Amino acid sequence: MHNNLIYLTDGRGKVDATQLSDFEWARLVADNRDSTRRQLVKCAWCWDEDKVTHWMKTYSRTNGARVISHQAGECADHPYQSLESDEHKAYCDRVERVGMAEGFQARREARAGDGRTRSDVLLVGSRHVSYEMQHSPFKRRYGAKERTRRSLAAERDAVAWHTDSGIIAGAASVAMLRSNQARLPQIENPRYELRILGGYRKVLVWECTSREGHRCPRGSYAGCGATHVDSQPGAITLDDFIRQAPAGLVLPVRPLERNGFWASSRDYEIWVDHYGAASRPRGTRAPQRHSEQQADGHSRPTSAQDHAPAVPQQRTDVPEVVTGVPNELINLQRSAMGEHAKLASLAGEAYEAQWKVWRAAAESLHSAVTEYSARDTVTMSRHEVEQAVKRAVRRQE
């Protein structure tokens, strides 16, 4: 149902029309027969977003489907939207609070230029990350994949889907973070850690021999001798994810696939170097890989069956411009990484002081990358320049 969120002026306030019983719906249709004169049903979307009052028509089709529509020529249909629960609001409040404390911009219910693409919370740092909390099952024709495509097309760098339901996470067709289930007081408590149980992974690289203890993707009992890249569940909290995603420290791998996941920027570079640019964000599709149920209960993508051993000097998926990255950018990247690494052993005031040092180093790097990518002689985009610098630093190490 489109336009499902409505305000009822008879005292019931904001309701989701799909949740009304058959009797309540039939009574509403009868009472609202002359909608503009009766002034009973008001569009909640138009009122909440633009403070404009539109009186809605309500009726049922011959097949029993419920319909709520604007008057002719008044406004376009709005997509289905769940009524915000107390838990949903608490999650968004927490994300907004953590993001702003980290120095990012955080905008609630942010709308893109198309007027139809919204984010529960839009986090703006060096990257634009749209945070979406999903408490209810996805609706047909406007599911996670379609909403992710629209958000990426609206110049958002990434969409961070989050749920605390294993059923919703299992049915999602995009990269989705799943946290432990928490009650409202726990969500509102800033000291309570919301642990990410799925959707964040660590990338593994191993030489396929019998000594390594990994199962060979090619079925060789003694190992095939090739270099394989795969992933396993990683550990991160929701708060740490929010602190890192807008800064580009965690990135989505295959965001528009069911077995997509988030990984650290370093692990992301390893994955892209091995599997190529098809694993990059912003909607490009990677080759399909099969999942395998492991003994520990995690669903882990197995390695591709037809990839060749990794030979660095023969790689063709690394741009040649990597060798021409200015040393200034490489030194700034190395400096920022060094300052960030110091945060791991600090706490309290020392952590806050070092965090400011790291942020200054990161901002210097981002400014230099932006200035370099804007030159007429540079053919790469800003994102490609940034990734080339990180790749050059990792190869030097």
Side-chain angles (χ1 to χ4, degrees):
M1 174 192 285
H2 295 298
N3 313 310
N4 65 298
L5 292 186
I6 54 178
Y7 277 108
L8 299 180
T9 59
D10 59 3
R12 281 180 282 179
K14 189 175 182 179
V15 300
D16 184 346
T18 61
Q19 304 302 318
L20 296 176
S21 66
D22 291 340
F23 175 79
E24 290 173 327
W25 173 255
R27 181 67 178 270
L28 179 65
V29 170
D31 291 345
N32 192 48
R33 194 166 301 278
D34 189 354
S35 55
T36 55
R37 178 175 295 181
R38 180 67 175 86
Q39 296 187 350
L40 173 63
V41 182
K42 180 167 66 173
C43 178
W45 188 300
C46 293
W47 178 252
D48 289 342
E49 296 293 335
D50 303 318
K51 300 304 179 185
V52 174
T53 298
H54 286 157
W55 301 109
M56 309 295 284
K57 296 184 292 185
T58 53
Y59 57 94
S60 297
R61 299 189 188 277
T62 55
N63 60 0
R66 302 177 181 183
V67 178
I68 300 176
S69 66
H70 285 269
Q71 307 298 327
E74 204 171 57
C75 184
D77 281 333
H78 309 298
Y80 176 90
Q81 181 188 5
S82 299
L83 187 63
E84 187 177 38
S85 64
D86 292 339
E87 289 78 9
H88 185 281
K89 182 177 183 300
Y91 273 115
C92 293
D93 287 344
R94 181 166 184 151
V95 169
E96 182 181 20
R97 181 177 65 250
V98 172
M100 294 185 67
E102 195 68 13
F104 306 129
Q105 297 181 40
R107 301 200 296 268
R108 294 288 291 274
E109 298 293 334
R111 297 177 68 176
D114 59 4
R116 295 171 63 87
T117 304
R118 306 199 314 169
S119 305
D120 286 341
V121 183
L122 179 62
L123 299 165
V124 181
S126 59
R127 293 169 58 83
H128 289 58
V129 178
S130 174
Y131 170 83
E132 301 282 357
M133 180 64 199
Q134 190 68 23
H135 259 117
S136 58
F138 292 102
K139 296 296 178 181
R140 295 182 61 185
R141 300 182 181 178
Y142 197 61
K145 184 169 290 188
E146 174 62 22
R147 290 162 65 182
T148 301
R149 284 198 183 101
R150 291 185 181 184
S151 189
L152 295 177
E155 301 304 320
R156 308 280 168 79
D157 291 305
V159 181
W161 286 98
H162 170 222
T163 185
D164 57 6
S165 168
I167 296 176
I168 294 176
S173 56
V174 296
M176 174 166 282
L177 301 167
R178 180 176 65 86
S179 66
N180 57 305
Q181 289 191 341
R183 298 185 299 273
L184 183 61
Q186 295 170 324
I187 302 172
E188 294 175 335
N189 183 0
R191 296 182 179 274
Y192 182 80
E193 286 192 349
L194 294 166
R195 295 176 293 108
I196 299 299
L197 305 179
Y200 180 82
R201 304 181 71 84
K202 179 177 178 58
V203 173
L204 300 176
V205 182
W206 78 91
E207 298 294 332
C208 191
T209 65
S210 58
R211 295 189 300 272
E212 290 295 327
H214 295 282
R215 180 183 301 175
C216 177
R218 298 176 176 177
S220 174
Y221 180 78
C224 63
T227 299
H228 295 301
V229 175
D230 210 334
S231 65
Q232 68 178 13
I236 195 173
T237 66
L238 177 62
D239 290 359
D240 284 341
F241 176 87
I242 296 304
R243 295 185 183 105
Q244 296 179 32
L249 300 178
V250 291
L251 296 169
V253 177
R254 299 179 308 195
L256 286 171
E257 295 188 24
R258 184 179 299 276
N259 55 357
F261 58 92
W262 288 77
S264 69
S265 56
R266 183 177 180 85
D267 284 352
Y268 169 79
E269 281 301 312
I270 295 174
W271 189 277
V272 170
D273 282 349
H274 188 79
Y275 290 109
S279 294
R280 295 183 184 275
R282 301 303 300 264
T284 51
R285 188 174 180 83
Q288 189 70 31
R289 300 169 70 234
H290 301 287
S291 297
E292 176 183 342
Q293 190 71 20
Q294 300 299 300
D296 58 5
H298 294 288
S299 179
R300 179 178 65 84
T302 58
S303 295
Q305 299 295 320
D306 57 351
H307 68 276
V311 183
Q313 62 272 24
Q314 296 178 354
R315 302 195 67 89
T316 59
D317 56 336
V318 179
E320 293 180 359
V321 74
V322 168
T323 58
V325 171
N327 290 331
E328 175 190 359
L329 298 182
I330 296 177
N331 293 335
L332 288 173
Q333 171 67 20
R334 187 180 292 110
S335 175
M337 292 173 60
E339 298 298 342
H340 183 265
K342 296 176 183 178
L343 291 171
S345 59
L346 301 177
E349 295 181 358
Y351 179 92
E352 296 296 332
Q354 180 58 32
W355 179 87
K356 293 180 181 179
V357 175
W358 166 66
R359 287 293 296 177
E363 289 173 359
S364 298
L365 169 65
H366 293 316
S367 298
V369 170
T370 301
E371 186 275 332
Y372 177 75
S373 61
R375 298 178 183 177
D376 295 336
T377 56
V378 178
T379 59
M380 293 187 296
S381 67
R382 186 196 179 285
H383 177 71
E384 290 173 334
V385 172
E386 182 177 356
Q387 298 307 315
V389 172
K390 292 179 180 179
R391 192 179 297 113
V393 171
R394 185 161 58 82
R395 278 173 171 72
Q396 289 183 4
E397 291 178 349

